[in-house]
């Protein structure tokens, strides 16, 4: 194993210089990236800017016992890009704050940045600055992203109408089951460090937990289809909670149908093994980072056969409340958070 460099050995400025290596900019609106007191951005005429920030705290949002730093770096960027996407905007620039305790090495932080660079490439966004400090504890990441959309195209949570269709991208519940698998393997490892992790059968759900993708592809596709959602939100806390957010902001109720919820086969299999109801995992498991959005009924034709978008129900009059309709046709009021362990 090659020598690892303690962060204290090189100091803040040398670290920033090393992190800066390999970071290039690609957005025409980025005039100046890392290196000055602030980045310079030239907003594209006719666009509106959106801005969002997320904090990731070790021990609260991630566990380095099973989350590789490269994946963590990728995820830190992806969750911000997901918020930008949820506004129907495209990310352009971001800044990253890193606070790391004495057990982290220069190489560890470089690994983190390797993941961030991959994500910046995947989402076509520029890392234009940040801040770096020591910490007495673990690792904290703060990412702030800027995005843009043609003026008037930004989509809020509040634009849904009672007759709109409710749609989700991708599939739900996998990230939560991935976390169950990783927690189980961690406990097995703590009990007996000789055990080898058994992750092969759970590749899909584990990857959904460790390396979620922001659905920027869906934003591009909706534009191509000429569909502008009336309201939108990304699914970070679970479908039920996000449906309730949309309903509250839009002043509507909703009806979603259990039989339409998109759940992938590996998720069904893992749920069976953990004795969990896959529907509950889809409704209340967090961190799927799919998009939940509403469209006018007139867009039904454009979306009904889309391989990666599922119509799961529709909004309704506020008085009806937000309900989950079971296969037997029974309506149950939607509730956020079925897991007391959160
Ligand atoms: P200041 O004293 O103004 O905060 P710094 O020395 O912290 O300046 O930062 C110098 C440059 O390096 C700035 O452009 C800043 O945005 C950038 N930078 C600092 N830390 C990071 C980081 N973790 N990731 C990316 N860029 C960083
Ligand atoms: Mg600074």
């Amino acid at each position: 194993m090659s020598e690892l460099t303690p962060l204290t050995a090189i100091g803040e400025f040398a670290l920033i210089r090393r992190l800066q290596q390999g970071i290039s900019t690609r957005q025409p609106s980025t005039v100046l990236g890392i290196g000055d007191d602030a980045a310079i951005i030239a907003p594209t005429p006719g666009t509106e800017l959106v801005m969002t920030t997320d904090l990731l705290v070790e021990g609260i949002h991630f566990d380095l016992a099973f989350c590789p730093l490269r994946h963590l770096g990728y995820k830190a960027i992806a969750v911000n890009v997901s918020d930008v996407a949820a506004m129907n905007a495209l990310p352009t620039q971001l800044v990253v704050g890193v606070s790391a305790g004495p057990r982290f090495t220069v190489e560890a932080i470089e690994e983190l940045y390797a993941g961030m660079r991959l994500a910046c490439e995947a989402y076509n966004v520029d890392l234009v600055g940040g801040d770096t400090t020591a910490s007495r504890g673990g690792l904290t990441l703060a990412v702030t992203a800027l995005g843009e959309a043609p003026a008037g195209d930004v989509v809020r949570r509040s634009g849904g109408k009672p007759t709109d269709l409710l749609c989700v991208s991708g599939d739900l519940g996998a990230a939560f089951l991935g976390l169950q698998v990783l927690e189980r393997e961690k406990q097995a490892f703590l009990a007996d460090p000789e055990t080898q992790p058994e992750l092969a059968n759970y590749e899909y759900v584990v990857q959904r937990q460790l390396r979620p993708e922001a659905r920027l592809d869906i934003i591009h596709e909706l534009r191509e289809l000429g569909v502008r959602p009336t309201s939108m939100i990304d699914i970070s806390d679970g479908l039920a909670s996000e449906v309730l957010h949309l309903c509250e902001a839009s002043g509507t109720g909703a009806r979603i149908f259990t039989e339409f919820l998109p759940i992938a086969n590996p998720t069904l299999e893992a749920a069976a093994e953990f004795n969990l109801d896959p529907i509950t995992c889809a409704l209340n498991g967090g961190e799927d980072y799919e998009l939940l959005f509403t469209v006018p009924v007139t867009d039904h034709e454009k979306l009904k056969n889309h391989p990666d978008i599922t119509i799961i129900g529709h909004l309704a009059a506020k008085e009806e409340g937000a309900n989950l309709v079971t296969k037997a046709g029974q309506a149950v009021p939607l509730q956020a958070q079925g897991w007391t362990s959160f």
Side-chain angles (χ1 to χ4, degrees):
M1 206 167 136
S2 58
E3 284 287 295
L4 295 178
T5 323
L7 280 178
T8 46
I10 69 165
E12 181 190 336
F13 297 129
L15 175 66
I16 294 172
R17 237 177 290 122
R18 272 174 76 160
L19 295 179
Q20 195 180 347
Q21 280 163 16
I23 295 181
S24 50
T25 61
R26 37 180 91 72
Q27 288 282 343
S29 57
T30 304
V31 180
L32 182 67
I34 296 173
D36 215 307
D37 295 304
I40 306 177
I41 291 153
T44 315
T47 65
E48 279 178 323
L49 301 181
V50 300
M51 192 180 190
T52 178
T53 197
D54 266 296
L55 270 174
L56 289 177
V57 180
E58 185 178 0
I60 306 285
H61 302 103
F62 59 88
D63 184 339
L64 289 174
F66 52 64
C67 183
L69 281 161
R70 190 178 284 242
H71 285 12
L72 179 66
Y74 195 98
K75 183 169 178 172
I77 304 298
V79 301
N80 270 267
V81 169
S82 180
D83 278 323
V84 171
M87 303 299 288
N88 198 31
L90 300 178
T92 48
Q93 288 86 19
L94 40 88
V95 292
V96 176
V98 180
S99 163
R103 73 185 160 90
F104 291 90
T105 60
V106 173
E107 289 76 13
I109 306 298
E110 283 183 323
E111 194 57 17
L112 182 74
Y113 268 67
M116 292 197 197
R117 286 203 308 271
L118 270 179
C120 286
E121 211 177 297
Y123 301 124
N124 191 30
V125 56
D126 292 344
L127 207 174
V128 297
D131 200 24
T132 314
T133 88
S135 115
R136 299 209 173 173
L139 181 67
T140 299
L141 299 175
V143 181
T144 301
L146 203 60
E148 62 178 42
D153 274 7
V154 175
V155 172
R156 307 176 188 205
R157 295 179 179 182
S158 56
K161 300 279 174 298
T163 52
D164 285 348
L165 301 174
L166 252 178
C167 310
V168 290
S169 64
D171 58 80
L172 302 173
F176 177 77
L177 281 155
L179 186 61
Q180 305 313 304
V181 172
L182 289 165
E183 294 280 5
R184 182 177 71 183
E185 292 308 315
K186 183 185 171 186
Q187 293 314 320
F189 177 80
L190 291 176
D192 174 12
E194 298 288 295
T195 56
Q196 290 296 312
E198 285 177 37
L199 298 176
N201 292 334
Y202 310 102
E203 215 172 307
Y204 181 70
V205 295
V206 165
Q207 167 237 322
R208 290 280 286 170
Q209 166 61 223
L210 292 182
R211 232 198 85 156
E213 290 286 359
R215 299 310 305 261
L216 264 194
D217 58 327
I218 296 289
I219 301 306
H220 287 293
E221 283 203 31
L222 290 174
R223 286 183 185 184
E224 274 158 34
L225 288 167
V227 173
R228 181 179 173 273
T230 48
S231 70
M232 184 151 54
I233 188 169
D234 72 327
I235 304 179
S236 50
D237 296 333
L239 179 69
S241 153
E242 317 301 1
V243 168
L244 292 172
H245 282 311
L246 275 196
C247 286
E248 179 166 331
S250 294
T252 67
R255 275 171 90 79
I256 64 176
F257 298 85
T258 49
E259 60 193 301
F260 297 154
L261 297 182
I263 304 175
N265 282 332
T267 309
L268 293 173
E269 286 160 19
E273 202 188 307
F274 280 85
N275 250 323
L276 292 167
D277 174 18
I279 303 284
T280 310
C281 295
L283 287 171
N284 294 316
E287 300 199 287
D288 286 318
Y289 296 105
E290 295 294 342
L291 293 169
L292 171 71
F293 56 96
T294 57
V295 298
V297 222
T298 46
D299 282 333
H300 181 258
E301 283 297 310
K302 291 182 186 166
L303 295 181
K304 69 173 189 202
N305 291 323
H306 196 288
D308 219 12
I309 294 174
T310 310
I311 301 171
I312 58 165
H314 51 81
L315 294 184
K318 191 184 172 78
E319 303 73 55
E320 288 186 34
N323 290 289
L324 176 70
V325 182
T326 65
K327 224 169 174 176
Q330 197 186 11
V332 194
L334 258 191
Q335 278 174 345
Q337 295 207 354
W339 307 100
T340 45
S341 58
F342 274 1

